């Protein structure tokens, strides 16, 4: 840093140290027009606080999921005097929590106690893969972050009711795919009918972005409220039909609870093992069979609606 100037000045190595970026990354940003060129002083390139601030802006936008191309458009708008305050406010609003639920922590001993008392490494790996648990590093005792305590509580209740952990994780994977489809459709719907006017400019003006952020705040709870209402309606409808089906004189006999061996073709076993790993073959086949049975049961119920009166 120069002692002759009131403003801090950096060599590229110093700028990399203060920003957390590498020298190579800084040069790449300059080549792509994301970072202004440094001032030339004799044989040296000199950077200032504006360069440091710009690098931190880029890092923040990258963390929020923006591509370098999108970041360049945003920064060009900023440099043209259109402002980034509204855009960053919109980003913060979309990036913020979409639930009032607060994350919690759980020790490995507490986790094992909630699920039968016996350690199950495979189940923990599945929970981490699904994001139900997150490892907390650098702890003396094994501890996990629980982003959604409600979700973990549901899994514990299902396990206590006799549902295998492999079936619970398989169900969650299936449910997550369906919920992500619903979320995508809701975003498409609101983009077309609500936010289209704010998306005409790339990037949007500061005023449009600020207004869009306000709308996001207002509309955020609508998706969950709609899904809650529709899920309640569907559960009431199908649970009633399901009960009537099983209480009818023509209902199938109670299922045999004794485990049975079923011969599967070797090529099927190999294909499943290649897909999910040898240790997960039984759980995968069980979950797939249960899913097929549930689907056929729902199809039967839908094709034989309850008679009124």
């Amino acid at each position: 840093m120069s002692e002759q100037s009131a403003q801090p000045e950096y060599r590229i190595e110093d700028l990399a140290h203060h920003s957390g970026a590498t020298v190579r990354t800084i040069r790449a940003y300059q080549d792509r027009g994301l970072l202004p060129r440094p001032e030339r002083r004799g044989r040296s390139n000199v950077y200032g606080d504006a360069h440091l601030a710009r690098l931190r802006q880029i890092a923040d936008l990258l963390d929020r999921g923006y591509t370098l191309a999108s970041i360049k458009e945003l920064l060009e708008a900023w440099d043209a005097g259109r402002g980034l305050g509204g855009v960053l406010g919109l980003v913060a609003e979309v990036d913020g929590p979409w639930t009032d639920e607060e994350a919690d922590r759980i020790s490995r001993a507490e986790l094992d106690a909630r699920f039968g008392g016996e350690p199950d490494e495979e189940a923990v790996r599945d929970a981490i893969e699904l994001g139900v648990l997150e490892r907390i590093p650098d702890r003396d005792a094994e501890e996990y972050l629980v982003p959604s305590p409600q979700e973990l509580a549901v899994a514990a209740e299902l396990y206590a009711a006799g549902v295998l952990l492999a079936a619970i994780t398989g169900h969650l994977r299936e449910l997550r795919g369906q919920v992500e489809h619903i979320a995508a459709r809701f975003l498409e719907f609101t983009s077309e009918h609500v936010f289209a006017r704010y998306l005409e400019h790339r990037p949007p003006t500061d005023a449009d972005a600020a207004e869009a952020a306000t709308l996001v705040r207002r509309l955020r709870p609508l998706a969950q409220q709609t899904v809650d209402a529709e899920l309640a309606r569907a559960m009431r409808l199908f649970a009633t039909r399901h009960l009537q089906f099983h209480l009818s004189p023509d209902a199938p006999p109670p299922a045999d609870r004794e485990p049975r061996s079923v011969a599967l073709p070797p090529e099927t076993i190999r294909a499943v093992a290649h897909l999910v790993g040898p240790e997960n073959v039984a759980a995968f086949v069980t979950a797939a069979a249960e899913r097929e049975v549930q689907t056929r049961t729902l199809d039967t119920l839908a094709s034989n609606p309850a008679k009124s009166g």
Side-chain angles (χ1 to χ4, degrees), residues 13 32 44 57 59 114 127 164 168 170 192 201 207 216 282 302 308:
E13 293 82 4
R32 299 188 65 154
S44 301
Q57 266 184 340
R114 293 184 70 176
L164 296 176
I168 294 173
E192 178 182 356
H201 307 290
V216 169
S308 59

Side-chain angles (χ1 to χ4, degrees), residues 263-281:
L264 295 176
E267 57 271 20
T268 300
I269 297 294
R270 284 195 295 270
V272 173
H274 179 73
L275 181 65
V276 300
E279 70 278 8
N280 295 322
V281 169

Side-chain angles (χ1 to χ4, degrees), residues 39 224 226:
E39 184 179 344
Q224 183 171 347
T226 302

Side-chain angles (χ1 to χ4, degrees), residues 2-157:
S2 170
E3 297 179 357
Q4 300 176 353
S5 172
Q7 296 297 323
E9 295 180 349
Y10 309 93
R11 296 174 303 160
I12 191 169
E13 293 82 4
D14 300 324
L15 185 66
H17 173 74
H18 286 284
S19 68
T22 65
V23 170
R24 182 177 180 180
T25 297
I26 292 173
R27 288 179 174 144
Y29 288 167
Q30 288 176 181
D31 293 340
R32 299 188 65 154
L34 290 163
L35 191 69
R37 294 285 176 179
E39 184 179 344
R40 191 73 177 174
R41 296 275 183 83
R43 300 177 60 183
S44 301
N45 289 326
V46 176
Y47 298 83
D49 271 350
H51 294 90
L52 182 58
R54 175 59 56 90
L55 285 172
R56 288 172 175 167
Q57 266 184 340
I58 294 171
D60 181 58
L61 291 169
L62 285 172
D63 287 342
R64 297 175 186 272
Y66 279 74
T67 65
L68 288 176
S70 298
I71 292 172
K72 185 177 181 181
E73 290 183 356
L74 290 171
L75 295 176
E76 285 174 350
W78 171 269
D79 292 338
R82 289 172 59 189
L84 266 184
V87 172
L88 293 181
L90 175 58
V91 170
E93 196 64 50
V94 172
D95 248 6
W98 284 71
T99 175
D100 294 332
E101 187 177 16
E102 295 184 2
D104 199 359
R105 294 189 177 202
I106 189 169
S107 69
R108 179 58 189 268
E110 292 170 329
L111 183 66
D112 291 341
R114 293 184 70 176
F115 290 91
E118 295 295 329
D120 190 330
E121 300 301 328
E122 183 178 342
V124 171
R125 285 195 299 271
D126 284 342
I128 292 172
E129 178 189 341
L130 288 165
V132 177
L133 300 174
E134 295 178 8
R135 292 190 187 277
I136 301 178
D138 304 324
R139 303 286 296 181
D140 294 335
E142 192 174 356
E143 193 175 15
Y144 300 92
L145 180 71
V146 185
S148 173
Q150 291 179 3
E151 192 169 49
L152 186 66
V154 169
E157 287 293 335

